[in-house]
């Protein structure tokens, strides 16, 4: 049986040729996909690729070897792919990539990678980077990451899928933020945050797990209970004489077959330049549950 397919409005928009405002400056070498919209006073460099459906609202600058994924939207006065703030950078053709359906809000700066780093700065798909945030050279952000207003990060920061970085937080260079972790507002984060971890304060301290995200994503019952027990064993509420490595061995032996606990253990085992954020010694409540 033959079925007539009706195109959705955004599919029709992507089928249209690019629309470039007369005041925009688009270099001849730039590659523009179907349905691209470039608003007033934007500047697009010669090595830029804008995939289908990308919109540059106005006053946006995209330069360098930069690729913007389909249906991404960049708001006024953001800059993507410009040279990194690194004194060792000498004009090498490093890259920057923004994933599909990601939204970059006003005044955000995202710099391309460096030859002494991994050579690329990457922001994943379906991310939201809010106003005035800075994503430095060689940073790698996963999918569905939310970066709230005024967040700043040093170079080489890694932020895994579904993480949330709240307003005005500052991430030290080489810090790793695990999957679905949440960093509280005005946090100074100098060390790695475990997957599902929640940190608050200046300097940041671990106050619990991101129970809200876990419940919203279907973790409940016995799975949530095991994760809570493993966390309490690894990060006890009160000071203990047992060293962290011994607690880590106990968690590995008792809960190592649980996939989410295993994710935390693998994160801890991975090489790190910064070490792990420490547990808060007071004010965390019931292992942070309900706080994040």
């Amino acid at each position: 049986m033959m079925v007539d397919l009706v195109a959705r409005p955004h599919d029709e928009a992507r089928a249209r040729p690019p629309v470039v405002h007369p005041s925009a400056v688009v270099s001849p070498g730039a590659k523009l996909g179907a349905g691209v919209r470039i608003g007033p006073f934007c500047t697009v460099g010669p090595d830029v690729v804008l995939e289908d459906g990308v919109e540059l609202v106005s006053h946006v600058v995209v330069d360098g070897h930069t690729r913007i994924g389909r249906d991404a939207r960049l708001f006024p006065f953001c800059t993507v792919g410009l040279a990194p703030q690194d004194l060792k950078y000498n004009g090498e053709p490093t890259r920057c990539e923004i994933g599909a359906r990601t939204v970059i809000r006003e005044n955000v700066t995202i710099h391309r990678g460096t030859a002494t780093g991994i050579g690329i700065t990457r922001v994943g798909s379906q991310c939201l980077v809010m106003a005035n945030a800075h994503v430095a050279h060689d940073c790698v952000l996963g999918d569905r990451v939310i970066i709230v207003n005024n967040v700043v990060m040093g170079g080489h920061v890694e932020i895994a899928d579904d993480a949330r970085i709240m307003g005005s937080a500052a991430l030290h260079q080489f810090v790793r933020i695990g999957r679905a972790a949440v960093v509280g507002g005005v946090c100074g984060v100098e060390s790695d945050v475990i997957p599902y971890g929640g940190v608050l304060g200046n300097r940041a301290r671990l106050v619990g797990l991101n129970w809200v995200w876990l419940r919203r994503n279907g973790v409940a019952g016995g799975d949530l209970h095991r994760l809570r027990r493993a966390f309490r064993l690894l990060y006890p509420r009160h000071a203990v004489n047992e060293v962290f490595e011994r607690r880590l061995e106990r968690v590995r032996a008792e809960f190592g077959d649980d996939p989410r606990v295993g994710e935390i253990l693998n994160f801890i085992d991975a090489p790190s330049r910064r070490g792990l954020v420490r547990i808060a010694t007071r004010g965390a409540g019931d292992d942070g549950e309900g706080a994040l």
Side-chain angles (χ1 to χ4, degrees), residues 38-289:
I38 299 178
F41 303 105
C42 294
T43 302
V44 180
D47 299 307
V48 171
V49 176
L50 303 182
E51 296 186 3
D52 295 352
V54 167
E55 180 183 7
L56 312 184
V57 175
S58 73
H59 298 83
V60 174
V61 178
V62 185
D63 201 6
H65 290 79
T66 297
R67 188 178 195 95
I68 309 294
R70 65 187 301 167
D71 296 323
R73 196 174 189 205
L74 281 63
F75 279 75
F77 304 106
C78 69
T79 63
V80 177
L82 271 67
Q85 298 175 140
D86 186 326
L87 294 176
K88 301 184 295 300
Y89 181 73
N90 196 31
E92 296 89 351
T94 52
R95 296 180 293 145
C96 180
E97 290 183 1
I98 308 297
R101 299 178 300 283
T102 283
V103 175
I104 309 296
R105 294 303 307 242
E106 296 84 352
N107 300 304
V108 167
T109 54
I110 303 176
H111 292 166
R112 60 182 180 259
T114 63
T116 54
I118 61 174
I120 185 170
T121 301
R122 181 181 290 115
V123 177
S125 299
Q126 296 178 270
C127 294
L128 171 58
V129 184
M130 297 188 193
N132 302 304
H134 174 61
V135 180
H137 62 85
D138 303 291
C139 289
V140 176
L141 279 61
D143 298 334
R144 301 173 302 280
V145 170
I146 296 178
I147 306 294
V148 180
N149 300 331
N150 302 308
V151 168
V152 293
M153 57 190 78
H156 316 276
V157 167
E158 298 177 22
I159 304 177
D161 296 350
D162 300 300
R164 306 287 187 262
I165 314 298
M166 299 305 171
S168 299
L171 310 183
H172 195 286
Q173 64 179 354
F174 294 105
V175 155
R176 297 180 302 145
I177 308 295
R179 185 167 81 95
V182 57
V183 174
V186 203
C187 262
V189 184
E190 298 176 308
S191 304
D192 299 344
V193 180
I194 61 172
Y196 314 110
V199 298
L200 294 172
N202 186 11
R203 297 306 195 212
R205 289 294 182 262
L206 187 64
V207 297
L209 296 182
N210 189 357
W211 304 110
V212 172
W213 186 94
L214 290 163
R215 291 193 181 97
R216 287 178 178 174
N217 285 270
V219 183
D223 292 338
L224 197 63
H225 182 63
R226 282 191 297 274
L227 188 56
R228 183 184 294 110
R229 287 176 57 202
F231 177 78
R232 287 174 174 171
L233 179 58
L234 191 58
Y235 294 102
R237 295 172 59 185
H238 306 291
V240 294
N241 293 326
E242 189 176 35
V243 297
F244 181 78
E245 287 74 13
R246 180 63 62 84
R247 300 199 301 271
L248 189 62
E249 291 174 4
R250 292 174 59 195
V251 170
R252 201 186 310 277
E254 188 171 349
F255 302 100
D257 58 346
D258 183 284
R260 292 177 185 83
V261 176
E263 187 176 352
I264 294 174
L265 295 174
N266 290 337
F267 182 91
I268 293 172
D269 291 339
S272 171
R273 298 278 292 266
R274 301 298 306 169
L276 295 172
V277 167
R278 297 181 179 181
I279 187 74
T281 56
R282 56 191 301 179
D286 184 16
D287 295 318
E289 186 163 1

